[in-house]
Every structure is written in structure tokens, then in C-alpha cells.
Amino acid sequence: MTTEELALEAAQTIGLCLAVGVLAVILSDVTARWLPLPTVVLEILGGIVIGPAVLGIAEDNVIVSSFSELGLAVLMFLAGYELQMSRIAGAPLRSACTGWVASLAIGLAAGITLVTLARPEDDVSSGVMIGLIFTTTALGTILPILRDAGELDTRFGSIIVAAGAVGEFGPILAIALLLSGQSPLHTILVLVIFAGVATIALTMASRPRSPRLARLLSHTLTTSGQLGVRVAMLIVILLAWIAGHLGLDVLLGAFIAGLVARLFLSGADEHAQEQTIARLEGVGFGFLVPIFFVVSGIRFDLVSLLADPFALVMIPLSLVGFLLIRGVPTYVVLRGTLSGRERVGASIYTATALPLVVVITTIGVDSGELTKATAAALVGAGMVSVLLLPLIATRVRGVPAPASDDTWTGASDAL
């Protein structure tokens, strides 16, 4: 295939991805009063329809793949940007870390046991990969739900965001430590180097802005300069490149880039900061992120899934696994912190998983550790979790407590 043909094929697929993204938003709105359908699920389903499994009018190639990977990086960047350490520091972060470590131990044991019993011919690393999938939380999916419900600034919201952040960041670190293929000493050394780079970036971003830079950040919002957007995109690409160059997952760099960008933009006036992140979300959620999810649907191997009885059974089992392995530890560590209904709601929220499920299964298929059918089953379970669990969590949570009694200020000693 010539370069021109490759580019034309990519343009067709990207155009179809954007069309699916538009239809997903419309359909989600139309069905909202009867059945809330998250846009991300509709995007993946749309990708399956236009992909090889059904219509076969969209093909994945190196150009489309690059757009998809950039979309995932921007999704992680925006998740990192939404993370306000001042709001989750203390008890929320401690409980989140405790719950995730418990999920990791249970998940690894369950994954290795499952592979040993069901597919003894597979390597132990397959079980490790499956176990890590059960420890993830779809922070990028949960955040818009919490924001729309006015929960982000509440104690409940802070706890969920903390659990979601650890459920995104923890598995990425675990991938680097357990699945990199390098010696543990080499991996730890690389992580220390990247931690040093991240610390330098965070320190530089937190330094006071010069009056001229602050003026430029505000002034260029109404010009073609868009300095804040350009700096933010430079940060995400640079840190993702550094992480990748060190042999780490680029998502680690993208997530840290979100933290760095928040600190950097905090030096601008409030209006400039709000407008800049609005533009970044426009680029991300309006263009790049939908491409990632639709392409994930295009890559979804429906044929292999339907042809493998074990994989079909894995969908409901995996959904139960998300609830037991990720949700139950969250419920336990929040004892004495939230009411019974809130604890149940929080545990169901944290069991919602999808983006990192797609990432880890992609790594597994590429490395030969997971079959396409198993990967499709796990992604399918993630789709079901995103479709059902936030809705169930919201219903279980019920009416939020009054705002005056629902803040986390001074609550760092609650646990």
C-alpha cells in the first residue's frame, strides 16, 4: 500500500470514528430518560459495527493507531489534571492506597489461580495481567458523572476521585514493575529516574509566574497563540516521550503531565485557567478521546469471542470479579468514614473499569500473553461495568448529604 493510499484509508477511518462519536452523543441523550447509555460504551459499540467484525468499512492502520494512542494519552492527561492533591491528601488517599493494595493482592491471586485451573498451558504472566485488570478504576469515565451530579467538591466525591486516581496510577506502575520484561533492579532504577524527572517538572511548574508570562497566558486565549494550550500539550507529549524512552508506559508520563499542567496553569488568573482547560477538554473529548474508544471497538475481536465458550463465560465472571476484587476492599476500608449506602455506592463506583482494561489487554495480545478471545471478554466486561455500575452506584448512593456537612476539610484524621 502506498503512502497516499494509507493516508486515505486513515482519513476514512478517522472520519467514521468522528461520525460514530457524534451519533454516540445524540443517542446517549435520546435514550437518557429510559436507559442511560454512557457515550464511551456507544463509541466502542459503534467501532465494533464499523469494524471488521460487522460492516468492515473501517480499518486500523499505523496512522489511525497513532491518533488512538494520542487520544488515550490525552485522556490520562485530563484525568491527571482533574486530580487536586489538596482535596484527596490525607484520609482519602490513605484509604484509596490501602484498598488498592488489597485489591492487587486479591487480584493477582485470583488471576493466577484462574489461568492455572482453566488454561494450565498459559504462562503465569497471563494470570498477573488478568489480575491487574481487576484492580483498575475508570477515573476518566467516573469524573464526568461526579461533575454533572455536583459531587466533585464533596467528601464523597473526594473519596471516589482518590480511589479512582490510585486505580489508574497503581496499575500503570504495576505494569512497569511486573510486565516490563526487564529485571526488577533495572525497572526500579528507571522508575526512580522518572520520579526525579517528574519531581523537577512539578517543582518548576509550581514556581511563581512572571507578570509577562501570566499576561501572555491570559492574552493569547483570544488569539491564535493559545499559549496555555500549547504548553499543556507540550508537557503531555514530552513527559509521555520521556516515560516511553525509559521503557515505561507512556500513560504514566501522560498522567503526571496532567498534574504538572494544573500546577503550571494555577499561576494564571482564574478565568484564563478555566478557559484553557475548557479548550484542552474540547481537543480531548471533542476529537482525540472518541477516536481512541471507537478504534478500541474496531479492534474488538467479536468473532473470536463468540467462538470461544470460555471467553463468553468470562464476561459475567469478570464483572463479578470487578465488584469483588476492586469494590469489596473499598467498602471495607471506608468503614467509619461513609454511611452504609455511601460505602456501597463508593465501592460500586470504584469497580467501574474500561480504559486500562483496553490498554492491558492490548499489551497482552501484542505480547502473546492473552488470546484475542480472552481480551475481548475482559473488554466486554469493562463495557458492561461502565454501562451499569455508575448507574447502580448513583441509585444506591441516593440523595447527597447537605453541602455544609459534606466537605473534607480537616478530615485527614478521620481514619
Side-chain angles (χ1 to χ4, degrees):
M1 182 179 292
T2 67
T3 303
E4 183 178 355
E5 290 173 336
L6 190 67
L8 285 173
E9 182 182 78
Q12 175 179 315
T13 298
I14 291 172
L16 288 169
C17 288
L18 296 178
V20 169
V22 171
L23 291 175
V25 174
I26 296 173
L27 185 58
S28 179
D29 181 69
V30 170
T31 61
R33 65 177 63 183
W34 302 288
L35 176 64
L37 293 172
T39 304
V40 59
V41 172
L42 292 173
E43 288 167 349
I44 294 178
L45 290 175
I48 294 173
V49 171
I50 65 175
V54 182
L55 297 180
I57 59 176
E59 295 289 340
D60 187 17
N61 63 32
V62 64
I63 299 175
V64 174
S65 180
S66 296
F67 273 93
S68 175
E69 291 173 7
L70 182 57
L72 176 57
V74 171
L75 177 64
M76 293 304 298
F77 164 79
L78 291 171
Y81 186 91
E82 287 281 3
L83 187 61
Q84 299 184 50
M85 293 302 297
S86 60
R87 291 204 58 83
I88 69 171
L93 189 57
R94 288 201 300 272
S95 63
C97 291
T98 302
W100 185 79
V101 170
S103 294
L104 178 64
I106 299 170
L108 292 179
I112 293 172
T113 300
L114 176 65
V115 170
T116 301
L117 295 177
R119 295 185 183 274
E121 69 276 8
D122 288 352
D123 192 78
V124 173
S125 56
S126 300
V128 172
M129 199 165 287
I130 292 174
L132 283 180
I133 286 172
F134 290 129
T135 70
T136 66
T137 296
L139 178 61
T141 302
I142 294 173
L143 278 175
I145 298 172
L146 295 176
R147 185 192 298 114
D148 293 344
E151 294 270 36
L152 271 184
D153 294 329
T154 66
R155 178 178 64 173
F156 181 82
S158 297
I159 289 172
I160 300 302
V161 170
V166 176
E168 295 266 23
F169 194 72
I172 293 173
L173 283 179
I175 290 171
L177 287 170
L178 302 176
L179 302 175
S180 65
Q182 303 288 342
S183 68
L185 182 61
H186 176 271
T187 302
I188 292 173
L189 177 62
V190 167
L191 285 172
V192 169
I193 293 173
F194 183 77
V197 172
T199 301
I200 293 172
L202 290 167
T203 302
M204 293 178 63
S206 61
R207 295 176 61 183
R209 303 288 161 269
S210 68
R212 181 177 183 180
L213 181 56
R215 180 186 61 80
L216 278 174
L217 288 171
S218 180
H219 172 70
T220 55
L221 281 171
T222 56
T223 71
S224 60
Q226 300 290 325
L227 179 62
V229 176
R230 295 186 183 196
V231 170
M233 296 308 296
L234 173 62
I235 292 171
V236 66
I237 295 298
L238 181 60
L239 286 179
W241 178 82
I242 291 174
H245 196 66
L246 290 173
L248 301 172
D249 197 298
V250 296
L251 300 185
L252 179 61
F255 190 87
I256 296 298
L259 301 177
V260 174
R262 171 172 282 279
L263 284 176
F264 174 78
L265 293 175
S266 64
D269 64 78
E270 186 175 348
H271 174 74
Q273 186 177 357
E274 291 176 353
Q275 292 300 310
T276 300
I277 188 57
R279 285 160 170 75
L280 288 168
E281 288 180 340
V283 173
F285 294 126
F287 177 51
L288 293 170
V289 175
I291 292 176
F292 163 68
F293 284 116
V294 178
V295 170
S296 298
I298 292 173
R299 293 171 177 169
F300 190 87
D301 199 331
L302 185 61
V303 175
S304 297
L305 176 63
L306 296 177
D308 191 332
F310 173 75
L312 288 172
V313 173
M314 275 193 67
I315 295 179
L317 289 179
S318 297
L319 186 61
V320 173
F322 287 134
L323 288 167
L324 294 179
I325 296 172
R326 188 71 183 102
V328 171
T330 300
Y331 180 83
V332 172
V333 299
L334 292 178
R335 180 186 303 168
T337 303
L338 296 177
S339 67
R341 290 172 64 90
E342 288 183 322
R343 285 171 65 197
V344 175
S347 64
I348 296 174
Y349 264 127
T350 57
T352 306
L354 185 57
L356 282 182
V357 177
V358 175
V359 173
I360 297 175
T361 53
T362 299
I363 294 173
V365 171
D366 291 343
S367 64
E369 300 291 347
L370 295 179
T371 65
K372 290 184 178 181
T374 300
L378 291 167
V379 172
M383 290 168 59
V384 175
S385 78
V386 169
L387 178 63
L388 297 180
L389 298 189
L391 175 62
I392 296 172
T394 301
R395 296 290 176 87
V396 171
R397 154 77 159 141
V399 179
S404 59
D405 188 43
D406 208 21
T407 60
W408 196 259
T409 305
S412 60
D413 296 326
L415 291 181

XYZ file of all heavy atoms in Angstrom, residues 309-391:
594
model
N -16.337 -20.566 24.028
C -17.290 -20.645 25.147
C -16.700 -20.135 26.462
O -17.389 -19.486 27.254
C -17.622 -22.139 25.229
C -17.326 -22.665 23.859
C -16.158 -21.859 23.368
N -15.418 -20.436 26.700
C -14.775 -19.977 27.930
C -14.748 -18.457 27.992
O -14.985 -17.863 29.054
C -13.343 -20.534 27.999
C -12.539 -19.985 29.156
C -12.773 -20.433 30.439
C -11.561 -19.019 28.944
C -12.029 -19.923 31.505
C -10.823 -18.511 29.999
C -11.055 -18.965 31.288
N -14.484 -17.819 26.866
C -14.438 -16.356 26.833
C -15.816 -15.760 27.106
O -15.935 -14.741 27.793
C -13.919 -15.886 25.474
N -16.863 -16.377 26.582
C -18.212 -15.881 26.827
C -18.570 -15.959 28.309
O -19.184 -15.048 28.864
C -19.223 -16.680 25.998
C -19.219 -16.413 24.488
C -20.131 -17.414 23.772
C -19.662 -14.989 24.195
N -18.179 -17.045 28.946
C -18.444 -17.201 30.375
C -17.646 -16.181 31.181
O -18.080 -15.737 32.251
C -18.105 -18.641 30.824
C -18.206 -18.772 32.337
C -19.026 -19.648 30.149
N -16.494 -15.778 30.650
C -15.638 -14.846 31.371
C -16.266 -13.457 31.524
O -15.904 -12.721 32.441
C -14.283 -14.689 30.661
C -13.261 -15.735 31.036
S -11.604 -15.274 30.449
C -11.272 -13.826 31.477
N -17.194 -13.084 30.656
C -17.784 -11.742 30.744
C -18.525 -11.541 32.068
O -18.199 -10.629 32.833
C -18.694 -11.457 29.532
C -17.858 -11.415 28.246
C -19.439 -10.130 29.721
C -18.656 -11.157 26.989
N -19.523 -12.388 32.393
C -20.178 -12.198 33.700
C -19.255 -12.477 34.875
O -19.338 -11.795 35.912
C -21.348 -13.193 33.662
C -20.969 -14.206 32.638
C -20.162 -13.460 31.615
N -18.357 -13.462 34.718
C -17.416 -13.741 35.805
C -16.494 -12.555 36.061
O -16.190 -12.224 37.213
C -16.582 -14.982 35.467
C -17.303 -16.330 35.491
C -16.339 -17.447 35.114
C -17.900 -16.587 36.871
N -16.066 -11.906 34.990
C -15.177 -10.748 35.129
C -15.904 -9.574 35.775
O -15.321 -8.839 36.581
C -14.630 -10.330 33.760
O -13.843 -11.357 33.196
N -17.172 -9.397 35.427
C -17.951 -8.320 36.046
C -18.064 -8.553 37.555
O -17.898 -7.622 38.352
C -19.343 -8.252 35.414
C -20.226 -7.086 35.855
C -19.579 -5.758 35.506
C -21.600 -7.190 35.214
N -18.315 -9.789 37.940
C -18.341 -10.128 39.363
C -16.963 -9.909 39.975
O -16.827 -9.427 41.110
C -18.792 -11.589 39.565
C -18.663 -11.999 41.029
C -20.226 -11.767 39.096
N -15.919 -10.234 39.195
C -14.555 -10.027 39.669
C -14.255 -8.567 39.952
O -13.609 -8.235 40.963
N -14.716 -7.669 39.085
C -14.527 -6.238 39.338
C -15.159 -5.834 40.664
O -14.573 -5.086 41.448
C -15.158 -5.417 38.209
C -14.398 -5.466 36.915
C -15.066 -5.679 35.716
C -13.029 -5.300 36.885
C -14.378 -5.726 34.516
C -12.325 -5.344 35.694
C -12.997 -5.566 34.509
N -16.360 -6.322 40.916
C -17.076 -5.955 42.141
C -16.405 -6.537 43.386
O -16.267 -5.855 44.408
C -18.525 -6.437 42.055
C -19.428 -5.659 41.078
C -20.721 -6.417 40.837
C -19.710 -4.262 41.602
N -15.985 -7.804 43.301
C -15.394 -8.448 44.468
C -13.966 -7.993 44.732
O -13.592 -7.707 45.883
C -15.421 -9.974 44.286
C -16.801 -10.638 44.256
C -16.655 -12.144 44.050
C -17.571 -10.353 45.532
N -13.164 -7.918 43.667
C -11.734 -7.630 43.842
C -11.472 -6.142 44.024
O -10.626 -5.752 44.827
C -10.938 -8.186 42.646
C -11.061 -9.711 42.606
C -9.472 -7.779 42.726
C -10.485 -10.348 41.366
N -12.200 -5.304 43.306
C -11.978 -3.861 43.418
C -12.972 -3.201 44.369
O -12.624 -2.299 45.123
C -12.092 -3.208 42.031
C -11.678 -1.745 42.011
C -10.185 -1.599 42.173
N -9.798 -0.200 42.234
C -9.499 0.455 43.358
N -9.559 -0.167 44.520
N -9.142 1.717 43.335
N -14.232 -3.659 44.334
C -15.256 -2.996 45.118
C -15.245 -3.348 46.594
O -15.348 -2.458 47.458
N -15.123 -4.634 46.922
C -15.202 -5.054 48.320
C -14.098 -4.442 49.183
O -14.374 -3.940 50.286
C -15.203 -6.598 48.422
C -15.058 -7.045 49.876
C -16.484 -7.158 47.824
N -12.815 -4.447 48.759
C -11.796 -3.783 49.584
C -12.100 -2.300 49.829
O -11.839 -1.775 50.922
C -10.510 -3.964 48.760
C -10.747 -5.211 47.981
C -12.200 -5.153 47.619
N -12.652 -1.630 48.831
C -13.039 -0.228 49.019
C -14.109 -0.111 50.090
O -14.054 0.774 50.959
C -13.564 0.366 47.692
O -12.544 0.297 46.701
C -13.991 1.819 47.882
N -15.083 -0.998 50.047
C -16.155 -0.991 51.046
C -15.585 -1.186 52.450
O -15.986 -0.503 53.404
C -17.158 -2.102 50.732
C -18.316 -2.186 51.695
C -19.425 -1.369 51.547
C -18.295 -3.104 52.746
C -20.489 -1.443 52.440
C -19.351 -3.186 53.634
C -20.442 -2.358 53.478
O -21.484 -2.435 54.368
N -14.624 -2.094 52.574
C -14.059 -2.407 53.890
C -13.262 -1.228 54.441
O -13.415 -0.850 55.613
C -13.172 -3.663 53.800
C -12.425 -3.884 55.120
C -14.023 -4.881 53.466
N -12.406 -0.611 53.611
C -11.531 0.456 54.128
C -12.298 1.741 54.439
O -11.785 2.605 55.155
C -10.386 0.773 53.135
C -9.515 -0.437 52.913
C -10.920 1.329 51.822
N -13.508 1.867 53.921
C -14.298 3.079 54.186
C -15.213 2.935 55.391
O -16.051 3.798 55.647
C -15.130 3.448 52.949
C -14.334 3.923 51.737
C -15.266 4.202 50.569
C -13.521 5.176 52.076
N -15.042 1.865 56.147
C -15.833 1.679 57.356
C -15.557 2.834 58.324
O -14.410 3.169 58.605
C -15.472 0.357 58.022
C -16.258 0.075 59.308
C -15.738 -1.177 59.975
N -15.804 -2.326 59.069
C -15.208 -3.494 59.312
N -14.465 -3.630 60.402
N -15.316 -4.485 58.455
N -16.606 3.441 58.824
C -16.461 4.555 59.752
C -16.251 5.894 59.076
O -16.214 6.928 59.744
N -16.105 5.889 57.757
C -15.895 7.133 57.008
C -17.155 7.583 56.294
O -17.498 8.757 56.277
C -14.763 6.954 55.985
O -13.579 6.532 56.658
C -14.484 8.258 55.250
N -17.865 6.625 55.682
C -19.107 6.922 54.975
C -20.239 6.084 55.564
O -19.997 5.059 56.214
C -18.969 6.605 53.480
C -17.949 7.407 52.667
C -17.904 6.892 51.234
C -18.285 8.899 52.675
N -21.464 6.520 55.311
C -22.625 5.752 55.748
C -22.717 4.474 54.919
O -22.008 4.315 53.913
C -23.898 6.578 55.567
O -24.151 6.795 54.183
N -23.604 3.570 55.330
C -23.715 2.292 54.650
C -24.023 2.422 53.170
O -23.365 1.801 52.329
N -25.025 3.235 52.816
C -25.391 3.405 51.413
C -24.259 4.066 50.634
O -23.987 3.705 49.486
C -26.659 4.247 51.302
C -27.914 3.541 51.787
C -29.103 4.500 51.825
N -29.439 4.979 50.499
C -30.289 4.403 49.686
N -30.895 3.284 50.058
N -30.565 4.909 48.494
N -23.586 5.033 51.268
C -22.482 5.709 50.585
C -21.319 4.757 50.359
O -20.671 4.798 49.308
C -22.024 6.922 51.391
C -22.988 8.090 51.366
C -22.439 9.281 52.113
O -21.792 9.069 53.160
O -22.671 10.423 51.679
N -21.054 3.890 51.331
C -19.964 2.926 51.184
C -20.248 1.966 50.035
O -19.353 1.657 49.235
C -19.765 2.132 52.466
C -19.090 2.890 53.596
C -19.141 2.097 54.877
N -18.378 0.871 54.810
C -18.525 -0.144 55.663
N -19.437 -0.083 56.615
N -17.779 -1.217 55.541
N -21.484 1.506 49.948
C -21.845 0.611 48.853
C -21.717 1.336 47.519
O -21.158 0.802 46.548
C -23.286 0.076 49.033
C -23.695 -0.758 47.816
C -23.389 -0.762 50.291
N -22.222 2.573 47.459
C -22.111 3.348 46.232
C -20.672 3.579 45.827
O -20.311 3.453 44.651
N -19.833 3.912 46.814
C -18.419 4.154 46.528
C -17.738 2.900 46.015
O -16.934 2.944 45.069
C -17.708 4.651 47.787
N -18.046 1.756 46.608
C -17.408 0.503 46.181
C -17.833 0.132 44.759
O -17.031 -0.373 43.976
C -17.752 -0.622 47.153
O -19.142 -0.900 47.146
N -19.085 0.409 44.407
C -19.550 0.106 43.048
C -18.912 1.060 42.042
O -18.525 0.658 40.942
C -21.088 0.178 42.978
C -21.702 -0.903 43.864
C -21.573 0.002 41.538
C -23.205 -0.820 43.981
N -18.796 2.332 42.412
C -18.122 3.290 41.543
C -16.701 2.831 41.225
O -16.262 2.855 40.073
C -18.066 4.667 42.204
C -19.164 5.620 41.796
C -19.943 6.247 42.763
C -19.408 5.918 40.462
C -20.957 7.146 42.408
C -20.408 6.804 40.096
C -21.180 7.411 41.067
O -22.166 8.285 40.701
N -15.958 2.431 42.246
C -14.552 2.075 42.032
C -14.401 0.777 41.249
O -13.327 0.507 40.697
C -13.798 1.942 43.371
O -14.455 0.971 44.201
C -13.768 3.276 44.108
N -15.462 -0.036 41.179
C -15.393 -1.276 40.402
C -15.604 -1.038 38.914
O -15.476 -1.965 38.114
C -16.431 -2.275 40.921
N -15.926 0.204 38.544
C -16.109 0.548 37.135
C -14.758 0.598 36.440
O -13.851 1.282 36.893
C -16.811 1.916 37.006
O -18.029 1.891 37.760
C -17.106 2.232 35.562
N -14.603 -0.126 35.354
C -13.294 -0.210 34.696
C -13.481 -0.314 33.189
O -14.409 -0.957 32.721
C -12.522 -1.434 35.197
N -12.592 0.351 32.446
C -12.588 0.159 30.996
C -11.297 0.625 30.319
O -10.631 -0.188 29.676
C -13.791 0.830 30.332
C -13.913 0.570 28.815
C -13.977 -0.921 28.530
C -15.118 1.277 28.231
N -10.905 1.924 30.416
C -9.738 2.375 29.635
C -8.490 1.522 29.839
O -7.869 1.077 28.869
C -9.535 3.817 30.119
C -10.893 4.258 30.561
C -11.512 3.044 31.169
N -8.129 1.272 31.109
C -6.925 0.477 31.352
C -7.148 -1.001 31.035
O -6.191 -1.735 30.786
C -6.452 0.643 32.798
C -5.697 1.936 33.088
C -5.232 1.973 34.538
C -4.491 2.094 32.156
N -8.405 -1.440 31.046
C -8.695 -2.805 30.597
C -8.313 -2.939 29.130
O -7.679 -3.922 28.713
C -10.190 -3.137 30.789
C -10.488 -4.535 30.236
C -10.577 -3.059 32.254
N -8.683 -1.920 28.352
C -8.318 -1.912 26.928
C -6.802 -1.896 26.768
O -6.229 -2.631 25.953
C -8.950 -0.698 26.221
C -8.465 -0.615 24.775
C -10.468 -0.788 26.261
N -6.138 -1.050 27.569
C -4.679 -0.915 27.473
C -3.979 -2.224 27.825
O -3.118 -2.709 27.080
C -4.187 0.213 28.402
C -2.657 0.242 28.444
C -4.716 1.557 27.937
N -4.337 -2.813 28.955
C -3.646 -4.018 29.426
C -3.923 -5.198 28.496
O -3.018 -5.997 28.191
C -4.055 -4.345 30.873
C -3.615 -3.219 31.812
C -3.432 -5.662 31.320
C -4.083 -3.385 33.258
N -5.159 -5.333 28.025
C -5.454 -6.435 27.100
C -4.734 -6.252 25.766
O -4.308 -7.238 25.154
C -6.968 -6.565 26.849
O -7.500 -5.297 26.429
C -7.688 -7.021 28.106
N -4.576 -4.999 25.341
C -3.815 -4.750 24.107
C -2.368 -5.184 24.275
O -1.794 -5.830 23.392
C -3.875 -3.253 23.731
O -5.238 -2.873 23.507
C -3.074 -2.984 22.459
N -1.792 -4.838 25.425
C -0.421 -5.275 25.720
C -0.355 -6.800 25.746
O 0.577 -7.410 25.212
C 0.052 -4.694 27.076
C 0.170 -3.169 27.005
C 1.397 -5.301 27.487
C 0.462 -2.517 28.349
N -1.363 -7.419 26.366
C -1.379 -8.876 26.469
C -1.479 -9.574 25.130
O -0.784 -10.567 24.883
N -2.334 -9.062 24.246
C -2.475 -9.659 22.913
C -1.198 -9.469 22.105
O -0.728 -10.397 21.433
C -3.689 -9.049 22.177
C -3.713 -9.498 20.720
C -4.988 -9.447 22.872
N -0.630 -8.255 22.161
C 0.597 -7.978 21.406
C 1.764 -8.848 21.863
O 2.610 -9.244 21.058
C 0.974 -6.492 21.531
C -0.001 -5.577 20.806
O -0.767 -6.086 19.960
O -0.007 -4.362 21.097
N 1.815 -9.135 23.180
C 2.918 -9.941 23.709
C 2.644 -11.438 23.632
O 3.523 -12.256 23.916
C 3.189 -9.556 25.176
O 2.076 -9.872 25.994
N 1.405 -11.799 23.267
C 1.047 -13.205 23.188
C 0.629 -13.815 24.514
O 0.384 -15.021 24.601
N 0.516 -12.989 25.567
C 0.135 -13.492 26.880
C -1.367 -13.741 26.991
O -1.815 -14.550 27.801
C 0.563 -12.492 27.976
C 2.055 -12.211 28.038
C 2.852 -13.408 28.516
O 2.232 -14.361 29.018
O 4.083 -13.401 28.378
N -2.160 -13.018 26.210
C -3.609 -13.184 26.227
C -4.100 -13.524 24.826
O -3.589 -12.990 23.838
C -4.305 -11.898 26.707
C -4.074 -11.439 28.149
C -4.822 -10.134 28.406
C -4.527 -12.502 29.144
N -5.091 -14.393 24.746
C -5.706 -14.678 23.452
C -6.649 -13.531 23.095
O -7.099 -12.780 23.973
C -6.505 -15.986 23.498
O -7.614 -15.836 24.400
C -5.626 -17.133 23.950
N -6.962 -13.412 21.826
C -7.885 -12.363 21.395
C -9.265 -12.556 22.017
O -9.947 -11.584 22.343
C -7.980 -12.347 19.872
C -6.718 -11.861 19.175
C -6.915 -11.787 17.674
C -5.667 -11.241 16.981
N -5.846 -11.147 15.510
N -9.663 -13.791 22.186
C -10.971 -14.072 22.770
C -11.027 -13.639 24.238
O -12.000 -13.024 24.684
C -11.294 -15.558 22.653
N -9.968 -13.955 24.991
C -9.920 -13.557 26.401
C -9.901 -12.042 26.527
O -10.590 -11.464 27.376
C -8.686 -14.158 27.080
O -8.744 -15.580 27.004
C -8.607 -13.730 28.537
N -9.099 -11.395 25.688
C -9.035 -9.932 25.706
C -10.400 -9.334 25.396
O -10.845 -8.380 26.049
C -7.994 -9.445 24.699
N -11.100 -9.888 24.406
C -12.424 -9.385 24.042
C -13.405 -9.565 25.200
O -14.247 -8.697 25.460
C -12.933 -10.094 22.797
N -13.300 -10.689 25.907
C -14.187 -10.940 27.043
C -13.953 -9.926 28.158
O -14.915 -9.409 28.759
C -13.968 -12.357 27.569
N -12.697 -9.634 28.445
C -12.376 -8.678 29.503
C -12.822 -7.269 29.130
O -13.360 -6.533 29.960
C -10.874 -8.718 29.796
C -10.378 -10.009 30.464
C -8.854 -10.093 30.410
C -10.860 -10.075 31.915
N -12.595 -6.885 27.878
C -13.057 -5.571 27.425
C -14.583 -5.523 27.449
O -15.182 -4.498 27.833
C -12.526 -5.258 26.012
C -13.162 -3.979 25.463
C -11.013 -5.107 26.032
N -15.225 -6.620 27.055
C -16.679 -6.680 27.099
C -17.204 -6.495 28.520
O -18.192 -5.777 28.744
N -16.543 -7.127 29.484
C -16.938 -6.961 30.884
C -16.735 -5.515 31.330
O -17.547 -4.960 32.086
C -16.125 -7.907 31.767
N -15.643 -4.894 30.863
C -15.411 -3.488 31.182
C -16.503 -2.596 30.621
O -16.958 -1.653 31.278
N -16.949 -2.899 29.409
C -18.031 -2.133 28.797
C -19.313 -2.260 29.610
O -20.033 -1.277 29.836
C -18.254 -2.603 27.358
C -17.134 -2.242 26.402
S -17.283 -3.117 24.811
C -18.886 -2.556 24.262
N -19.609 -3.477 30.056
C -20.805 -3.686 30.867
C -20.690 -2.939 32.192
O -21.666 -2.347 32.673
C -21.030 -5.191 31.116
C -22.213 -5.403 32.058
C -21.287 -5.916 29.802
N -19.498 -2.928 32.765
C -19.301 -2.222 34.043
C -19.541 -0.731 33.885
O -20.168 -0.099 34.736
C -17.886 -2.488 34.586
O -16.904 -1.709 33.922
N -19.061 -0.157 32.795
C -19.266 1.275 32.549
C -20.743 1.557 32.274
O -21.263 2.621 32.652
C -18.390 1.742 31.364
C -18.770 3.146 30.918
C -16.920 1.702 31.771
N -21.421 0.613 31.649
C -22.832 0.795 31.315
C -23.719 0.715 32.555
O -24.659 1.514 32.709
C -23.252 -0.278 30.307
C -24.721 -0.278 29.864
C -25.055 1.015 29.145
C -25.002 -1.476 28.971
N -23.430 -0.216 33.462
C -24.333 -0.484 34.572
C -23.895 0.074 35.923
O -24.725 0.608 36.679
C -24.530 -2.005 34.710
C -25.186 -2.735 33.544
C -25.298 -4.221 33.864
C -26.555 -2.158 33.243
N -22.616 -0.054 36.256
C -22.198 0.219 37.630
C -22.360 1.674 38.069
O -22.833 1.920 39.189
C -20.757 -0.262 37.842
C -20.534 -1.775 37.663
C -19.134 -2.179 38.119
C -21.588 -2.575 38.427
N -21.975 2.677 37.254
C -22.211 4.057 37.710
C -23.687 4.354 37.952
O -24.036 5.069 38.900
C -21.651 4.903 36.562
C -20.643 4.038 35.903
C -21.219 2.652 35.992
N -24.562 3.800 37.110
C -25.999 3.997 37.294
C -26.456 3.366 38.605
O -27.193 3.979 39.392
C -26.758 3.382 36.117
C -28.290 3.398 36.214
C -28.802 4.827 36.277
C -28.901 2.651 35.037
